[in-house]
């Protein structure tokens, strides 16, 4: 059960209201049962379909009849301006094969498991530095303190000089806030960052560093390499995909462990359960609520519901992890689960390329936090906590906590 009382659901669920943003899972439970392929209207006025059952979500994540292609399917007024469209759409997440296959293959050559594992000591070091700054006791918004871990990691990976982190941070906050997309502020920040990233790439061509961006610049596959436009778009995708999602994972883990003291005590007593605890957070309240938008390439039927060619489809990753058909007692948060089924990192050709890094960061952040502080509690009532609005990302927008290294 979630900490909150489920809102009452009548015949039409409210997909964008405050109750849903705070706790979408009662609505998902209703949808899975009564309307598993649910037609609704997007804030932009277009019809869309939300798929909520695990088996359907998994199957359609890997079905070529649902394609990417924002520019192909969305009306121009629903797209970012042409000046920044290329960096937001010219990437593997928004491409179909064969373009996707090529971009992913080149990125995978640089983004290896070996590189990720080699990052562990550095991740631990950064987590320790951030915890040092928090001191032995106090009150903080964890998003602005320990939450900086994934940000620092992605900037280091890309080889962004420290003096420029602030600019990157501002853009990525805007870029993942679905409410600000298309605003003048969003456009200006994105344009500035695009120019900056192109300069960074030019610098690294001349003076390569030990970073992922430098590797991506030289990576070749049968003579084929990434163009400057593709490199810029790839850097944007990694920034967007790698920061706010992993911050949400860390924040959601802390929030749910505090909300379930028995589970927190179990994890403290048996720290070897940490990987399973992270997996349970991903299932129970993962950072990607829906996969990125997909479009029907032809008239299709999903569980008997017709979706016309060009129809916008949302695949409910968060809902899938609660489907009682696949996850017994899925509304319960339980770190003792084994063989957890979830689709928090997607499935099929677009499966998250950064999942190993995200899991590692989550484990290090939570492990170090619990080692450091014997007492952790929320500094606000659970009902007062603000959550990120929108259809794609999920997670606390802030996480005020109180902490003490010595038990009282
Ligand atoms: C807990 C943290 C994370 C979650 C929940 C997450 C979730 C996802 C999901 C669901 C997808 C597939 C979306 C779809 O099919 O529409 C995806 C793709 C992707 N993610 Fe992540 N992600 C996380 C962390 C990261 C990190 C740390 C990075 C990189 C540093 C990253 C980079 C990417 C990229 C590049 C793709 C596109 C892959 C493709 O299209 O082939 N993600 N992620």
């Amino acid at each position: 059960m979630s900490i909150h009382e489920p809102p009452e659901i009548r015949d039409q669920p409210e997909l964008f209201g405050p109750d849903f943003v705070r706790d979408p899972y009662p609505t998902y439970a209703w949808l899975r049962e009564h309307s598993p392929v649910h037609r609704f209207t997007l804030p932009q006025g277009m019809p869309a379909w939300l798929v909520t059952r695990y088996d359907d979500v998994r199957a359609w994540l890997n079905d070529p009849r649902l394609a990417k292609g924002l520019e192909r399917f969305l009306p121009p007024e629903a797209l970012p301006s042409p000046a920044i469209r290329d960096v937001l759409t010219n990437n593997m997440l928004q491409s179909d094969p064969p373009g996707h296959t090529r971009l992913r293959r080149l990125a995978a050559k640089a983004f290896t498991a070996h590189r990720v594992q080699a990052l562990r000591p550095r991740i631990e070091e950064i987590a320790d530095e951030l915890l040092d700054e928090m001191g032995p006791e106090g009150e903080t918004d964890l998003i602005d303190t320990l939450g900086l871990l994934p940000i620092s990691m992605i900037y280091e990976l890309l080889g962004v000089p420290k003096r420029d982190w602030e600019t990157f941070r501002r853009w990525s906050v805007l870029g993942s806030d679905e409410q600000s997309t298309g605003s003048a502020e969003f456009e200006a920040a994105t344009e500035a960052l695009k120019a900056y990233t192109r300069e960074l790439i030019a610098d690294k061509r001349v003076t390569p560093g030990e970073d992922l961006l430098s590797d991506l610049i030289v990576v070749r596959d049968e003579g084929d390499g990434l163009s400057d436009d593709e490199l810029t778009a790839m850097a944007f995708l990694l920034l967007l995909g790698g920061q706010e999602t992993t911050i949400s994972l860390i924040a959601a883990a802390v929030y749910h462990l505090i909300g379930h003291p028995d589970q927190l005590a179990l994890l403290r007593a048996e720290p070897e359960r940490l990987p399973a605890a992270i997996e349970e957070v991903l299932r129970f309240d993962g950072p990607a609520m829906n996969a990125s938008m997909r479009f029907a390439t032809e008239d299709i039927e999903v569980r008997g519901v017709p979706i016309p060619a060009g129809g916008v489809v949302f695949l409910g990753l968060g809902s899938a992890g609660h489907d009682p058909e696949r996850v017994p007692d899925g509304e319960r948060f339980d770190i003792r689960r084994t063989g957890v089924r979830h689709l928090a990192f997607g499935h099929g050709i677009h499966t998250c390329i950064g999942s190993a890094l995200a899991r590692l960061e989550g484990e290090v952040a939570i492990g170090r936090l619990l080692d450091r502080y014997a007492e952790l509690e929320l500094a606000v009532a659970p009902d007062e906590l603000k959550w990120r609005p929108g259809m794609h990302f999920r997670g606390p927008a802030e996480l005020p906590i109180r902490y003490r290294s010595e038990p009282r």
Side-chain angles (χ1 to χ4, degrees), residues 68 92-93 100 104 111 154 237-238 241-242 245-246 249 287-288 291-292 294 317 344-346 349-350 352-354 357-358:
K68 300 303 184 81
M92 70 181 111
L93 184 61
H100 170 268
R104 174 113 186 179
F111 215 92
I154 200 78
L237 178 62
L238 294 172
T245 46
T246 318
L249 172 63
S292 56
R294 281 158 168 79
L317 309 175
F345 289 117
I349 62 166
H350 291 284
C352 181
I353 209 170
L357 176 61

Side-chain angles (χ1 to χ4, degrees), residues 54-83:
Y54 182 99
D55 288 351
D56 297 338
V57 173
R58 190 169 189 277
W60 284 95
L61 275 169
N62 215 11
D63 193 311
R65 287 172 297 167
L66 286 186
K68 300 303 184 81
L70 296 171
E71 287 175 279
R72 192 151 49 114
F73 294 106
L74 285 186
E77 62 275 15
L79 289 168
S81 76

